[in-house]
Structure formats: C-alpha cells, structure tokens
Amino acid sequence: MIRLVAIDMDGTLLRPDGHISERNVRALKGLKAAGAEFLICTGRSYIDALEPLKEAGLRAPVVCMNGAAVYDWDGRLMDEIRLSERQVREILDCCQKEDIIFDFMTDRGSYTTAKEAQFRACFERNVLLPMAEFTYEGVRDRFSFAEEGQLFELGLAFYKISVIHESQEVLGRIKERLSRIQELAVASSFATNLELTHSHAQKGRALALYAASRGVRPDEIMAIGDSENDYSMLSMDIKYTVAMGNAMESIKRIARCQTRSNIQDGVAYAIETLVLTREARAY
C-alpha cells in the first residue's frame, strides 16, 4: 500500500498556467482518506511552492530548490544543504563573458545580478520563466537586484543557482565548464536553464530523508515528475516511479510507469489508478 506520494510541481502537478486543477486537488485530498500523504518535491523556493498550494486549499511538507531544503507540515526547516562560497565563486567564473541571467536562491529570497532592463527583456521573451504564466510585476517583486561583488558582502546562504539563457549552445558551453566544479549537481527543468545545487542536494536524498522521518518504507512510496531535476527520485528503488506524459525522454526511460500529461491531470490519473482504487489499496 502506498503511504507517501512525492510530486514535482512545474510540468507535473501544475497546469501550464501555474495552477492546480480541481481533479488533481480531489486526488490529493483523497490520499488522506486512503491513509497516505503527499510531499511536494520542487525546484521552486519554499515561498513560491506554497503559493499554488494555498490557492487550492492544500497543505503539505515541501522539498524545495531541488532538495537543498526540506520543510515540514508547519513550515519548519528539517534539513538544508548549501552551496559553498568556493562553489558560488567558481560558478561565476564559469559564466564570465556569457550574457546570462542568474537566479540566486538564498535564505533571504531570490537575488539576481542582472540589470533591470536585461531582466525584464528576458522575461518578456519568455526565457526567464517559460514553464508557467506569471506577470512581470509578480516576478519582479520576488527578486532583489545586487552587484556581483555585493553577493558575498550580504552574508547570504546560497541553496540553488539557476543560469538562464535562450541559447542551447551557450548553456552547453557553460555546462561543460561547470562539470569541473567539485560536488556540484547540474540539472535542468526547462530548455532555457541550468539548475545548480550541491551534489548532495537532490530530490531523491530529500525524499528518502523525509520518508525515514515518517517511518515510511521504500515499497510504500510513489514519485511523479517530468524533468532532469526529478531524476534522482525517479531512479530510486521504490514502489512506483511515474513519468508525466509531457516528461523529457530521459525521464520516461528511467521511470517504471507513465501517466498522462499535466494538461490532462496526469497526477490525478496516477494517484487514482495506483493508490485510490480498491485493487491498489489491497496491493
């Protein structure tokens, strides 16, 4: 019997407009009646992950920033893995001379070293956040602007850094340089970004940590996702690993099951089929 369902957000639980469908909400609420719970596992910051949950009237523990931090039901920090100052400086060096946008996810929110005109142009070309619909004002309010030299003077804790550019060639060059940085994990959740965390900050590790804290065995876990930053949890030896119908091909290859797309309520379909049916509860 499944007792814990780990679910990615963008491209998985959320529709392209950034909201959770009514069918997905019903399925998530149905888990409690079936003696199970769900865990959000996202690349988003904690605050950004809470927004669509609150809108849908849902509460959940959250693995955020690709596994760099884990928060319990009450918003208490359970675990964190930061990037070191050395890693951050080496990342900056790898991106020199490239016209990229940074999103530094820190203990004090998101920071960027971009000029505001560059930042806005990147948003308007649908490069900054192409996975969901946002207003510029809503995105702008979540960022602080700083010069590169100020980042270290502010005493920030760095959890995740997104490197954003519309050119696959540019991102490919940067990714090759980044491969030389020790203990750095590089993933991607959409075509215009690279997501950088400490190599130990992975969704799979965070999922295992949370499950152990709840006394949940691997054969009582299901995980659902769509992109590279879900690889670590969808390659785990657990009961069900499920790729979305819109998932990257590399994710479809490693997952044991495939559901419908996020436009077709694929999360609800997977939960209904593998957890909520009478046959599933008996299995």
Side-chain angles (χ1 to χ4, degrees):
M1 175 181 162
I2 295 297
R3 293 177 54 203
L4 178 63
V5 182
I7 311 170
D8 172 53
M9 294 198 89
D10 292 288
T12 301
L13 179 61
L14 304 183
R15 297 185 315 229
D17 63 6
H19 302 286
I20 305 174
S21 72
E22 290 184 8
R23 183 176 176 184
N24 280 346
V25 171
R26 288 196 302 271
L28 295 176
K29 290 181 175 179
L31 287 173
K32 185 175 181 180
E37 64 174 299
F38 70 97
L39 171 70
I40 294 298
C41 292
T42 180
R44 293 184 174 211
S45 68
Y46 182 63
I47 292 173
D48 287 345
L50 287 185
E51 201 170 288
L53 292 174
K54 286 181 178 178
E55 178 190 64
L58 298 168
R59 288 179 65 242
V62 178
V63 169
C64 56
M65 297 175 286
N66 290 359
V70 183
Y71 290 85
D72 69 10
W73 282 85
D74 298 312
R76 291 187 294 256
L77 184 66
M78 294 176 61
D79 184 64
E80 63 174 354
I81 299 177
R82 304 177 182 183
L83 288 161
S84 68
E85 182 176 325
R86 170 191 61 79
Q87 289 175 309
V88 177
R89 289 188 184 277
E90 289 184 12
I91 289 166
L92 291 170
D93 287 344
C94 288
C95 297
Q96 281 185 353
K97 300 179 181 178
E98 305 287 4
D99 185 28
I100 55 93
I101 297 281
F102 283 113
D103 175 0
F104 298 93
M105 290 190 180
T106 78
D107 58 333
R108 282 181 263 164
S110 282
Y111 279 73
T112 186
T113 52
K115 301 299 182 185
E116 186 151 2
Q118 178 194 18
F119 187 83
R120 180 158 197 155
C122 188
F123 174 86
E124 291 176 347
R125 295 197 310 273
N126 203 33
V127 175
L128 188 66
L129 293 167
M131 73 287 192
E133 294 178 8
F134 298 98
T135 64
Y136 176 72
E137 290 72 22
V139 172
R140 170 64 181 82
D141 288 346
R142 298 210 297 270
F143 277 82
S144 297
F145 289 74
E147 297 291 331
E148 188 174 303
Q150 291 180 293
L151 291 173
F152 304 104
E153 296 171 3
L154 292 167
L156 302 170
F158 295 94
Y159 293 111
K160 173 186 166 186
I161 299 174
S162 288
V163 176
I164 301 162
H165 198 281
E166 56 202 314
S167 167
Q168 289 294 298
E169 182 180 349
V170 170
L171 292 177
R173 284 200 303 266
I174 294 171
K175 187 174 183 179
E176 184 177 353
R177 295 174 205 147
L178 292 169
S179 67
R180 297 191 286 270
I181 300 177
Q182 292 183 350
E183 297 186 311
L184 184 71
V186 183
S188 176
S189 58
F190 48 94
T192 59
N193 85 343
L194 298 174
E195 298 181 349
L196 317 178
T197 59
H198 192 283
S199 58
H200 295 160
Q202 299 290 308
K203 290 185 181 183
R205 175 193 170 278
L207 169 55
L209 181 147
Y210 182 80
S213 76
R214 302 288 288 175
V216 176
R217 301 191 311 268
D219 64 350
E220 296 173 321
I221 302 171
M222 177 166 76
I224 313 173
D226 74 304
S227 64
E228 279 184 6
N229 64 8
D230 299 312
Y231 188 98
S232 62
M233 69 176 184
L234 295 184
S235 57
M236 294 174 71
D237 185 16
I238 55 179
K239 184 69 170 280
Y240 297 119
T241 54
V242 183
M244 297 295 292
N246 53 286
M248 295 178 175
E249 288 304 315
S250 59
I251 294 302
K252 289 180 179 178
R253 285 195 296 270
I254 62 159
R256 296 195 183 107
C257 309
Q258 184 175 319
T259 186
R260 296 170 179 170
S261 73
N262 63 328
I263 298 173
Q264 301 168 305
D265 301 322
V267 167
Y269 184 72
I271 291 172
E272 291 161 1
T273 304
L274 299 175
V275 184
L276 301 183
T277 63
R278 183 181 302 173
E279 293 80 7
R281 290 199 299 272
Y283 181 56

